Amino acid sequence: MNLENRYDFVLIFDVKDGNPNGDPDAGNLPRVDTETGQGLVTDVSIKRKVRNFVGLVKEEQPPYEIYIKEKAVLNLQHERAYIGIGAEEELKSDKKRKGKAESVEKARQWMCQNFFDVRTFGAVMSTGVNCGQVRGPVQLTFSRSVDPIVASEHSITRMAVATEAEAEKQDGDNRTMGRKHTVPYGLYVAHGFISVHLANQTGFSETDLELLWQSLTNMFEHDRSAARGEMATRGLYVFKHDSKLGNAPAHSLFDRINPHLKDDVTVPRTFKDYQVDIDETDMPNGVTLNKIVG
Amino acid sequence: MTKQYCLEVSGDFACFTRLEMKVERVSYDVITPSAARAVFEAILWKPAIRWQIHKIEVLKPIRWINLRRNEVGQVISTRNVQTAMKNGHGNLALNIEDERQQRAGLFLRDVKYRLHASFELQNDSQHIHRYPHLNANSDGDGSENNLIKFQRMFERRASKGQCFNQPYLGCREFSADFRLLKPKDDPANLPEELAGERDLGWMLYDLDYSNAADPSPRFFQAKMNDGVIIVPDWNSDEVRG
């Protein structure tokens, strides 16, 4: 079913004793906005987790295939059969051989139909024509922590070495040291936008939308690792406009969700140290707030 | 001259990538007319109208942030897709580990601008041949393209915060808040650091799409006076290819 409403959403998640998103420029330290000390998580990091989640629950089958894969999660190398929606017949009957641009357009639509990430986030196809791309309806911003974070560095030891040469050097002591970085606690906020018009161009449907909410709610549950610590979605607040173009500016809606440190807390270490104030007074006409999480 | 509109846009980050440094992205100091046009087009655009940026007011000091991300260095191959379409099966996927590129970006942070623009209707002959499907339902005389109608549409959308897609500042992850201002709103509070004259050098104006298969960039010499950049007309001598 086609999307009929514009959506803007606020995603709140936290991390405890983990590294939510390492900075390749800073030896994998958690990303920090150096001027404010706030922690950052990039948009692509969240999108990666959405892809992984969808890949997991839909088992990589069309129409929920994932184009951009991460080996760690999926190593399904078997070939998939595609439900070549209309494609097969059209390609066969297409004896007149229409212009090149048209067949590229068909390929693009076919990708949208079969791949969840292509129709959600968009993709670029190699066509030579400058508009050979899919603009996805879902747009995400960088997540930013509510308060400044501190990154702690921990030295850790390993009771084994990788090579024999190393073992000889240590006379059989066989120890190596490593480092890991964690954020003791951080509450992060991301903003997201869903454009109906772009959704209708890629075929992103109501069912896909449900899957997106599900993945934003549960993505951290399937992304456990030594580096991440404990991460969880703490809030998913969805503003639904009753029209396609929307009924209110997105920023005015986002301002209604206000997570802040409780008065008597100076150093946050759990989600309980925070309070999320939600201002539902005088909601703009035609906008409803759906608290999917929180 | 047609009616001028003023949008105040702001965001946490922005990246108006310099053409000459797009592998490791480096932003221009301020928003380009091209990115400003895209902000207006995210609110209202039809093949029949063309936005022209007149003035950019910079309301916040120019600040930078450096960020490195893991990116993918490949695009989807149309040919492979077509083969899989035909066969009904195939192995279409891309392992990010194999195609990984780490790219740093020098982005702007905490930006706020006032963008002044107007639009005019294009002669039918300039757009109908490019977008024939969009004109399929018209009676052929182009009468549905009415300047006043589009102006009202834009005013209605912008004042309610409506948009086709959320406008962004250079890249889609840097979304922009926007507000329609009345043209006579007070002059902006100028940050001290921006006082005086500053030469921003040759800056991208926009891409020339008259040959859609090979758009070519055009540049102008951007001068900022007390935070204000006057953008020359697209067809003026100051804009060079």
Side-chain angles (χ1 to χ4, degrees):
Chain A
M1 224 177 43
N2 272 355
L3 234 52
E4 296 292 338
N5 309 85
R6 176 179 133 188
Y7 296 87
D8 297 306
F9 60 92
V10 178
L11 172 73
I12 302 179
F13 60 93
D14 68 350
V15 59
K16 194 178 158 218
D17 294 324
N19 184 356
N21 188 201
D23 184 349
D25 249 355
N28 209 33
L29 266 142
R31 293 182 191 276
V32 177
D33 177 338
T34 42
E35 273 184 79
T36 61
Q38 286 166 308
L40 296 175
V41 171
T42 59
D43 60 312
V44 282
S45 163
I46 301 289
K47 288 186 197 170
R48 170 81 267 144
K49 294 185 205 318
V50 170
R51 286 185 165 107
N52 288 354
F53 179 84
V54 172
L56 207 64
V57 298
K58 296 293 182 185
E59 295 176 336
E60 289 291 308
Q61 290 307 314
Y64 296 102
E65 260 242 76
I66 297 296
Y67 189 76
I68 312 277
K69 291 181 204 283
E70 188 177 37
K71 272 188 195 156
V73 178
L74 356 121
N75 218 345
L76 311 166
Q77 287 304 325
H78 55 82
E79 291 214 338
R80 279 155 293 267
Y82 294 103
I83 40 157
I85 314 170
E88 231 167 287
E89 298 78 45
E90 279 176 45
L91 278 179
K92 274 178 199 156
S93 66
D94 197 6
K95 276 177 190 144
K96 282 174 278 178
R97 204 84 196 114
K98 288 177 191 150
K100 193 182 170 231
E102 206 165 314
S103 61
V104 168
E105 177 56 36
K106 237 176 233 171
R108 204 183 303 154
Q109 278 177 9
W110 185 86
M111 285 302 284
C112 285
Q113 280 162 349
N114 285 295
F115 288 84
F116 178 82
D117 57 341
V118 174
R119 67 175 176 271
T120 305
F121 301 128
V124 184
M125 305 216 345
S126 65
T127 58
V129 183
N130 115 74
C131 40
Q133 55 177 314
V134 179
R135 268 203 302 171
V138 179
Q139 196 175 332
L140 267 174
T141 63
F142 280 18
S143 317
R144 204 176 242 289
S145 68
V146 177
D147 292 299
I149 56 158
V150 273
S152 351
E153 191 171 1
H154 311 275
S155 289
I156 48 174
T157 55
R158 179 167 75 158
M159 297 308 180
V161 289
T163 62
E164 271 184 64
E166 246 180 302
E168 267 167 41
K169 232 184 264 169
Q170 295 194 16
D171 294 326
D173 220 13
N174 291 7
R175 283 212 265 190
T176 45
M177 293 195 74
R179 288 182 175 275
K180 73 191 277 178
H181 306 277
T182 64
V183 177
Y185 187 80
L187 187 69
Y188 291 77
V189 181
H191 293 160
F193 312 88
I194 302 175
S195 154
V196 187
H197 303 88
L198 297 181
N200 293 344
Q201 284 173 15
T202 69
F204 181 85
S205 66
E206 289 280 351
T207 327
D208 293 325
L209 184 71
E210 277 314 307
L211 185 58
L212 179 75
W213 299 143
Q214 210 190 329
S215 59
L216 290 173
T217 309
N218 295 316
M219 61 191 172
F220 297 114
E221 307 296 328
H222 305 279
D223 187 56
R224 305 285 179 212
S225 79
R228 298 272 177 259
E230 291 171 58
M231 293 185 74
T233 299
R234 296 298 191 165
L236 179 55
Y237 303 96
V238 178
F239 294 95
K240 179 178 181 177
H241 302 251
D242 72 4
S243 66
K244 287 186 174 180
L245 283 166
N247 300 60
H251 60 95
S252 73
L253 300 175
F254 294 151
D255 287 346
R256 292 171 174 270
I257 309 290
N258 179 24
H260 62 91
L261 214 52
K262 284 182 186 163
D263 287 340
D264 52 337
V265 182
T266 44
V267 180
R269 281 297 178 263
T270 76
F271 185 56
K272 290 196 190 98
D273 296 334
Y274 280 93
Q275 187 176 328
V276 183
D277 288 342
I278 299 161
D279 178 10
E280 285 186 86
T281 54
D282 305 323
M283 284 286 274
N285 261 340
V287 178
T288 46
L289 172 61
N290 181 9
K291 290 168 243 177
I292 295 181
V293 178
Chain B
M1 167 133 44
T2 53
K3 208 164 166 182
Q4 278 213 25
Y5 295 107
C6 174
L7 277 187
E8 185 181 87
V9 299
S10 57
D12 280 351
F13 303 99
C15 180
F16 311 107
T17 312
R18 285 174 186 272
L19 260 76
E20 66 276 23
M21 288 187 268
K22 56 185 178 187
V23 174
E24 302 255 289
R25 295 182 195 92
V26 176
S27 176
Y28 282 110
D29 299 279
V30 298
I31 189 169
T32 58
S34 156
R37 168 182 61 82
V39 170
F40 283 92
E41 285 179 354
I43 299 167
L44 177 77
W45 181 76
K46 298 262 170 183
I49 71 177
R50 196 175 72 83
W51 282 100
Q52 164 74 46
I53 306 293
H54 301 288
K55 191 164 82 174
I56 294 166
E57 288 177 82
V58 185
L59 308 188
K60 288 217 173 151
I62 296 164
R63 296 252 150 79
W64 301 90
I65 185 171
N66 191 7
L67 238 130
R68 186 178 291 269
R69 288 179 285 184
N70 289 327
E71 299 185 12
V72 166
Q74 232 201 19
V75 290
I76 300 175
S77 147
T78 316
R79 183 171 294 198
N80 291 352
V81 172
Q82 281 162 341
T83 314
M85 279 168 77
K86 213 177 286 175
N87 298 337
H89 62 89
N91 206 341
L92 288 172
L94 193 149
N95 282 321
I96 41 166
E97 276 87 356
D98 302 336
E99 297 295 336
R100 171 167 288 175
Q101 297 181 349
Q102 290 199 332
R103 292 196 192 182
L106 192 56
F107 306 141
L108 296 170
R109 39 160 301 154
D110 201 15
V111 299
K112 196 172 194 175
Y113 305 105
R114 274 188 195 170
L115 312 172
H116 301 258
S118 66
F119 64 83
E120 53 193 35
L121 289 185
Q122 279 192 302
N123 192 330
D124 280 352
S125 64
Q126 286 173 289
H127 62 87
I128 284 188
H129 71 279
R130 272 202 262 165
Y131 307 97
H133 58 294
L134 293 178
N135 288 278
N137 325 331
S138 81
D139 358 330
D141 62 352
S143 57
E144 81 283 17
N145 293 331
N146 176 313
L147 188 71
I148 305 294
K149 183 183 85 173
F150 289 144
Q151 285 179 346
R152 297 250 163 86
M153 260 169 108
F154 177 77
E155 286 159 26
R156 212 161 48 225
R157 288 187 187 183
S159 57
K160 282 202 232 165
Q162 298 186 318
C163 51
F164 186 88
N165 61 277
Q166 191 69 25
Y168 48 87
L169 301 167
C171 301
R172 288 194 81 197
E173 58 270 38
F174 308 136
S175 74
D177 298 339
F178 66 93
R179 215 149 59 91
L180 182 68
L181 296 183
K182 294 200 183 70
K184 55 176 177 287
D185 271 9
D186 316 334
N189 274 336
L190 181 74
E192 272 174 41
E193 297 160 54
L194 294 179
E197 197 186 296
R198 204 196 284 204
D199 188 353
L200 302 175
W202 284 96
M203 194 161 118
L204 175 74
Y205 187 107
D206 209 330
L207 290 161
D208 184 356
Y209 291 99
S210 48
N211 176 7
D214 181 27
S216 58
R218 287 167 73 83
F219 299 87
F220 75 113
Q221 186 119 41
K223 288 218 170 61
M224 184 161 68
N225 260 318
D226 292 336
V228 178
I229 299 159
I230 302 292
V231 180
D233 230 45
W234 174 244
N235 295 320
S236 65
D237 291 341
E238 288 143 82
V239 181
R240 312 236 175 108

